[in-house]
Amino acid sequence: MVTEIEREIDRSKMQVSDEVAIQITNMNKWYGAFHVLKDINLTVNRGERIVVCGPSGSGKSTLIRCINRLEVHQEGSIIVDGTELSSDLKNIDKIRSEVGMCFQHFNLFPHLTILENCTLAPIWVRNVPKKEAEETAMHFLEKVKIPEQADKYPGQLSGGQQQRVAIARSLCMKPRIMLFDEPTSALDPEMISEVLDTMIELAEEGMTMIVVTHEMGFARKVANRVIFMDAGQIVEENEPEQFFTNPQSERTQLFLSQILGH
Amino acid sequence: MSDQSYVRTEMLGEKPPPSSQVGVVKWVMENLFSSIPNAIMTIVSVWVVYYILSGILPWAFQSSWNATSLHGCRAYIAETYGEGVEGACWSVINERWKQLLFGFYPKELYWRPVVTLALMFVAISPVLFTSVPRKVMLFSVIYPFLAFWLLWGGSIWLPIVAFLGLVIAYLAIVYLPALVGSLGATIGAGVLPILFWIVIAGPIIDGLNGIAPIGIEGVDSDQMGGFMISIIIGVSGIALSLPIGILLALGRQSPLFIVKTICVGFIEFIRGVPLITLLFVASVLLNYFLPPGTNFDLILRVIIMVTFFAAAYMAEVIRGGLAALPKGQYEAADALGLDYWKATRLIIMPQALKISIPNIVSNFIGLFKDTTLVSIIGLLDPMGLARAIPADQNWNGIVWEIYVFIALLFWIFTFSMSRYSMYLERKLATGH
């Protein structure tokens, strides 16, 4: 799965700061008796773009879903923006409003227009006045290049357009971190690149991003670190050039040969 | 240029289609006689419709409107249409329609239920149609108390003080979260008004009645009857069962064990019992449980039981709608930082209710028709009157005419509900 990324990438703003955005320490998670995530340690600095890859069932989606507590971890700690995730609902809501998330199946709200999808959370969570929320929404819809669809319903848009709306919807909350859970897996090939383009633009503006994806072209060009997971563990972690040209573990080599072989 | 090449030099105009493709002929061919079995069925159906109408129409139209007894009717029909003609005796409707509509409500006060009904349409209009100004909603909130006062009459202070309980609930929702958190506020909004109604409301009403006895003539529950009672019970049941049903459906899905158990227990118990049993409990048993001397209105008791019954069914219908929603909708709402109540109100419920509209409305229709069961516990709803009127010597032996009239009344209401639900489904379609 390599979608060629043709555009020049502007790396001037893509700088990693020393400030820690996410700190995961010795994190373990079980589904019943099944040990899904084993001793995960991961530090993400502000401005980092991290791609998480691995075979299905390796726990990569579960990992990023733990970061905004869509999944609950049982051991270890996750600290996002200095706030520790615990069962305290106030902390969870605070973190969720700072961390944007895009899903494989977009999960737009089908009963609301595109504009309403984008203004809902700012109005109800951040108490932004409606007019201001709409202006922000139009700004981000222009950024993802679909302002003309604002009054349509999600069901009337193509998959690629829906995913771009989903990105705009997250951005309207002005998040400091963006999580992407296989954002292009449900899309036709020609729509993948329009979504990747939007994500690259975000990266160019210095957004902290964690992306679960099989798009190795994106990983190579945009990520500053690639994480390979298998069987609930982080198997290999490296910068993209090293990761792709000189993978260390056998499991990674096998995975890369399968995914890049075609 | 070869022989096969061809270039069109002038474009063709449009010709009218052959007669088999337009208008009545086309419709008839396509819909009634498209094949031999279809043609046979068309002919059989036409014959059946003719057979039924040829029986009913002469009966309905060779009728008497102004007689004062069944005998009078028969004499008039025999005289006008000839011996042996079976005709409808609409005279009974002509004489008793007010009773079928209002029961034994005092004649000079008929304007009160009529005004109440008219105001009901105003009160439900903002709920039914989004084009109605939102401010009318305020009237919808006041309406139940106003309707109670108009129908039962009596002191104006009772509904006003009862309304204050609602105001207290509202204030609790708005101002308590800052003091005791949202869960505390929700509990407060439930408990405080009840305390107010039970403990403080009585003395306040007595006091106010002492100071300023303002009121209109009171009407007792046992004077009420007819279609009016069906509407009172049906509309109250519908208006109350939907919100209670929503809460029960949410409670059933709650991760909180006690809330869940109470909701499941309530739903399964109420659904497991026939409505008629609940109505008997309302009419007979409740009096044993209540402290002696309490005069708890029978219609009110019936409304409570009907509401419970409908709410249990409503909860299951809405649970079906909730189950049909993809998990991603909950996750997206969570990921945006919406809390449980906001996510439920803005994302989950609008979609779950939309999916459930046909079932909800069909439950409403069922509930409305089930109100006729109250005739069994002695309330004189139309069905009760349909048995009472033939007991009058003049109308002894009359059956069909009254039931046809009642059926027509119910049909008008239920058919409008069904049409409205279709309109709502079309309006809410967003192309997915």
Side-chain angles (χ1 to χ4, degrees), chain B residues 275 360-371 414 417:
Chain B
L275 176 57
I360 291 177
V361 173
S362 133
N363 259 28
F364 283 166
I365 290 175
L367 161 69
F368 189 54
K369 292 187 296 181
D370 279 352
T371 58
T414 52
M417 284 194 237

Short mmCIF file of all heavy atoms in Angstrom, two decimals, chain B residues 275 360-371 414 417:
data_model
loop_
_atom_site.label_atom_id
_atom_site.label_comp_id
_atom_site.label_asym_id
_atom_site.label_seq_id
_atom_site.Cartn_x
_atom_site.Cartn_y
_atom_site.Cartn_z
N LEU B 275 -52.83 -4.91 30.29
CA LEU B 275 -53.23 -3.55 30.65
C LEU B 275 -54.47 -3.56 31.54
O LEU B 275 -54.59 -2.78 32.48
CB LEU B 275 -53.48 -2.73 29.38
CG LEU B 275 -54.00 -1.32 29.56
CD1 LEU B 275 -53.05 -0.50 30.43
CD2 LEU B 275 -54.18 -0.62 28.23
N ILE B 360 -42.73 3.99 17.16
CA ILE B 360 -43.24 4.86 18.21
C ILE B 360 -44.67 5.26 17.90
O ILE B 360 -45.56 5.15 18.74
CB ILE B 360 -42.35 6.12 18.35
CG1 ILE B 360 -40.99 5.74 18.92
CG2 ILE B 360 -43.02 7.15 19.26
CD1 ILE B 360 -40.03 6.90 19.02
N VAL B 361 -44.90 5.70 16.65
CA VAL B 361 -46.23 6.16 16.29
C VAL B 361 -47.22 5.01 16.35
O VAL B 361 -48.35 5.17 16.80
CB VAL B 361 -46.22 6.83 14.91
CG1 VAL B 361 -47.63 7.16 14.48
CG2 VAL B 361 -45.39 8.09 14.95
N SER B 362 -46.77 3.83 15.94
CA SER B 362 -47.69 2.72 15.98
C SER B 362 -48.03 2.36 17.44
O SER B 362 -49.17 1.98 17.74
CB SER B 362 -47.08 1.60 15.15
OG SER B 362 -47.10 0.42 15.71
N ASN B 363 -47.08 2.55 18.34
CA ASN B 363 -47.38 2.38 19.77
C ASN B 363 -48.37 3.43 20.27
O ASN B 363 -49.26 3.14 21.06
CB ASN B 363 -46.10 2.50 20.59
CG ASN B 363 -45.57 1.15 20.98
OD1 ASN B 363 -45.81 0.19 20.27
ND2 ASN B 363 -44.88 1.09 22.09
N PHE B 364 -48.17 4.68 19.81
CA PHE B 364 -49.10 5.75 20.19
C PHE B 364 -50.51 5.40 19.76
O PHE B 364 -51.48 5.57 20.50
CB PHE B 364 -48.69 7.07 19.54
CG PHE B 364 -47.53 7.74 20.20
CD1 PHE B 364 -46.85 8.78 19.57
CD2 PHE B 364 -47.10 7.36 21.46
CE1 PHE B 364 -45.78 9.40 20.18
CE2 PHE B 364 -46.02 7.97 22.08
CZ PHE B 364 -45.37 9.00 21.43
N ILE B 365 -50.63 4.92 18.52
CA ILE B 365 -51.95 4.59 17.99
C ILE B 365 -52.57 3.47 18.82
O ILE B 365 -53.74 3.52 19.21
CB ILE B 365 -51.84 4.19 16.50
CG1 ILE B 365 -51.50 5.43 15.67
CG2 ILE B 365 -53.12 3.55 16.00
CD1 ILE B 365 -51.24 5.16 14.21
N GLY B 366 -51.75 2.46 19.14
CA GLY B 366 -52.24 1.36 19.97
C GLY B 366 -52.70 1.86 21.33
O GLY B 366 -53.77 1.49 21.81
N LEU B 367 -51.89 2.74 21.92
CA LEU B 367 -52.23 3.29 23.23
C LEU B 367 -53.55 4.04 23.18
O LEU B 367 -54.41 3.88 24.04
CB LEU B 367 -51.09 4.23 23.68
CG LEU B 367 -51.40 5.23 24.78
CD1 LEU B 367 -51.61 4.51 26.09
CD2 LEU B 367 -50.27 6.23 24.92
N PHE B 368 -53.71 4.86 22.13
CA PHE B 368 -54.91 5.66 22.00
C PHE B 368 -56.15 4.77 21.93
O PHE B 368 -57.17 5.05 22.56
CB PHE B 368 -54.78 6.55 20.76
CG PHE B 368 -55.85 7.58 20.65
CD1 PHE B 368 -56.09 8.46 21.69
CD2 PHE B 368 -56.62 7.68 19.51
CE1 PHE B 368 -57.08 9.41 21.59
CE2 PHE B 368 -57.61 8.63 19.41
CZ PHE B 368 -57.84 9.49 20.44
N LYS B 369 -56.04 3.69 21.16
CA LYS B 369 -57.19 2.80 21.04
C LYS B 369 -57.41 1.99 22.31
O LYS B 369 -58.54 1.65 22.65
CB LYS B 369 -57.01 1.89 19.82
CG LYS B 369 -57.09 2.68 18.52
CD LYS B 369 -57.08 1.77 17.32
CE LYS B 369 -55.76 1.04 17.25
NZ LYS B 369 -55.71 0.16 16.07
N ASP B 370 -56.29 1.67 23.00
CA ASP B 370 -56.41 0.90 24.25
C ASP B 370 -57.16 1.67 25.33
O ASP B 370 -57.63 1.08 26.30
CB ASP B 370 -55.03 0.52 24.79
CG ASP B 370 -54.48 -0.70 24.07
OD1 ASP B 370 -55.24 -1.30 23.30
OD2 ASP B 370 -53.31 -1.03 24.28
N THR B 371 -57.26 3.00 25.18
CA THR B 371 -57.97 3.76 26.21
C THR B 371 -59.42 3.31 26.32
O THR B 371 -60.06 3.53 27.34
CB THR B 371 -57.96 5.27 25.92
OG1 THR B 371 -58.55 5.49 24.64
CG2 THR B 371 -56.56 5.83 25.94
N THR B 414 -56.32 8.51 14.65
CA THR B 414 -55.20 7.60 14.39
C THR B 414 -54.67 7.79 12.97
O THR B 414 -53.46 7.72 12.75
CB THR B 414 -55.63 6.14 14.59
OG1 THR B 414 -56.79 5.91 13.83
CG2 THR B 414 -55.93 5.87 16.05
N MET B 417 -52.37 10.68 12.93
CA MET B 417 -51.07 10.34 13.52
C MET B 417 -50.21 9.60 12.51
O MET B 417 -49.03 9.88 12.35
CB MET B 417 -51.27 9.45 14.75
CG MET B 417 -51.73 10.18 15.98
SD MET B 417 -51.52 9.08 17.41
CE MET B 417 -53.16 9.03 18.03
#
